[in-house]
Amino acid sequence: MHRFFIQPEQIQGHRVTLSGAIVHQICNVLRLRPGDHILVLDNSGWEWQVELTEVSRNRVEGHTLGKSLARGEPRTKITLYQGVLKGNRFEFALQKGTELGIVEFVPVVSSRCVIADVDAVSKKLARWRRIVLEAAEQAHRGLLPVIQPAMLFAAACERAGLSGGLSILPWEEAEASLKSLLREGDETAPSRPFSINLFIGPEGGFTAEEVNLAQRYKIHPVTLGPRILRAETAGLVAATAILYELGDLELSP
Ligand code: SAM
């Protein structure tokens, strides 16, 4: 069934009024008709089953038939602090990270970033939010991952340090294992469901100084093995390993 994120105020009682690009999508692209069913998501974690009652070029309306909790949200809440990447690599990380279950993205400008201008990065936010929205619909998420404005590496470390979650920084020169860290945990972090801050460097990686700074905020360097992964691959591999280890790649009973 087709799924659409909408604004909560578009659901009034049993009545659902759709607007903007969704109207065009339903009317002209999907050619749905009154009587057809769709799912709408109001970004609360619920999904609403809706029967369309009116479909025209300017107006699409329906009424709700019921609601259930979206099953696509992981218990483990991963915030991906991703070094800004050039070309469409950052967009790839956003799209695939959303499919995997990342709940928050923080674009990070660090010393080896090719794009080093925080303002230039923030101009891409609207496009990035569209990419995340489409990926979230496709992946059956119930909540839209949040994309924070870009921030400098030091500010990102401070933010993660204050968040209370377990913070992890894959680094090619680290020896500590991700699995051990997840199994032993961090005595300063709360117990499950885990909130995890995952730091991935840009194309050129992190400098030793940056790793030292991160450690002062209890951000743990770990290895992802002997192969050097591209930045957009590394975040997905680390997130997948974390979700697997914490049982989030299984269907809940
Ligand atoms: N500086 C590296 C080089 O040129 O060999 C490449 C950095 S890599 C493309 C980008 C990021 O991916 C790194 O900053 C790190 O966070 C992560 N990464 C990639 N492979 C890794 C590995 N084997 N272990 C830990 N982290 C890795």
Side-chain angles (χ1 to χ4, degrees):
M1 207 179 311
H2 300 288
R3 316 165 73 86
F4 303 95
F5 275 95
I6 62 170
Q7 299 298 321
E9 59 272 17
Q10 290 178 267
I11 305 174
Q12 296 289 337
H14 288 291
R15 188 167 155 197
V16 180
T17 308
L18 300 167
S19 61
I22 298 176
V23 170
H24 170 69
Q25 181 79 0
I26 287 181
C27 181
N28 303 323
V29 181
L30 300 170
R31 296 181 176 277
L32 299 182
R33 295 283 167 257
D36 286 340
H37 291 188
I38 60 171
L39 285 170
V40 298
L41 302 120
D42 60 0
N43 204 19
S44 65
W46 292 97
E47 56 187 32
W48 300 79
Q49 199 182 350
V50 172
E51 181 175 286
L52 297 176
T53 51
E54 182 180 342
V55 179
S56 69
R57 245 170 233 266
N58 308 318
R59 193 176 182 79
V60 173
E61 280 194 8
H63 58 244
T64 57
L65 300 171
K67 67 174 181 175
S68 52
L69 270 180
R71 298 180 71 201
E73 288 310 308
R75 279 179 314 154
T76 308
K77 308 298 179 200
I78 302 179
T79 294
L80 178 59
Y81 288 82
Q82 172 71 63
V84 175
L85 306 170
K86 61 181 179 186
N88 59 6
R89 289 178 176 183
F90 195 83
E91 295 179 0
F92 179 87
L94 287 174
Q95 186 189 54
K96 301 303 165 201
T98 299
E99 289 170 32
L100 260 176
I102 301 290
V103 301
E104 183 181 39
F105 295 92
V106 183
V108 176
V109 175
S110 57
S111 60
R112 290 190 183 149
C113 275
V114 177
I115 305 166
D117 180 352
V118 171
D119 293 334
V121 172
S122 293
K123 285 192 186 130
K124 299 185 174 172
L125 271 178
R127 176 177 164 78
W128 289 350
R129 290 196 174 119
R130 273 201 308 281
I131 290 171
V132 160
L133 182 135
E134 283 172 18
E137 287 175 348
Q138 188 276 325
H140 295 198
R141 300 283 302 266
L143 296 170
L144 280 174
V146 176
I147 309 178
Q148 298 294 347
M151 62 181 76
L152 294 173
F153 182 75
C157 290
E158 191 179 348
R159 183 177 193 270
L162 290 172
S163 77
L166 175 64
S167 297
I168 300 171
L169 181 148
W171 187 38
E172 310 83 271
E173 293 177 43
E175 288 179 5
S177 117
L178 174 60
K179 186 189 277 192
S180 307
L181 180 64
L182 292 171
R183 289 199 175 169
E184 288 155 17
D186 169 354
E187 64 286 359
T188 62
S191 54
R192 291 184 199 195
F194 265 112
S195 165
I196 290 186
N197 303 303
L198 175 62
F199 279 75
I200 300 291
E203 294 90 343
F206 292 120
T207 63
E209 292 73 30
E210 284 170 336
V211 176
N212 282 338
L213 174 70
Q215 283 178 294
R216 278 189 247 142
Y217 289 96
K218 294 198 182 319
I219 301 170
H220 304 272
V222 296
T223 177
L224 294 179
R227 292 160 296 280
I228 303 302
L229 308 169
R230 284 196 162 190
E232 69 275 25
T233 315
L236 300 177
V237 167
T240 306
I242 292 166
L243 293 170
Y244 178 78
E245 185 61 31
L246 298 180
D248 254 309
L249 294 189
E250 292 158 28
L251 292 174
S252 44

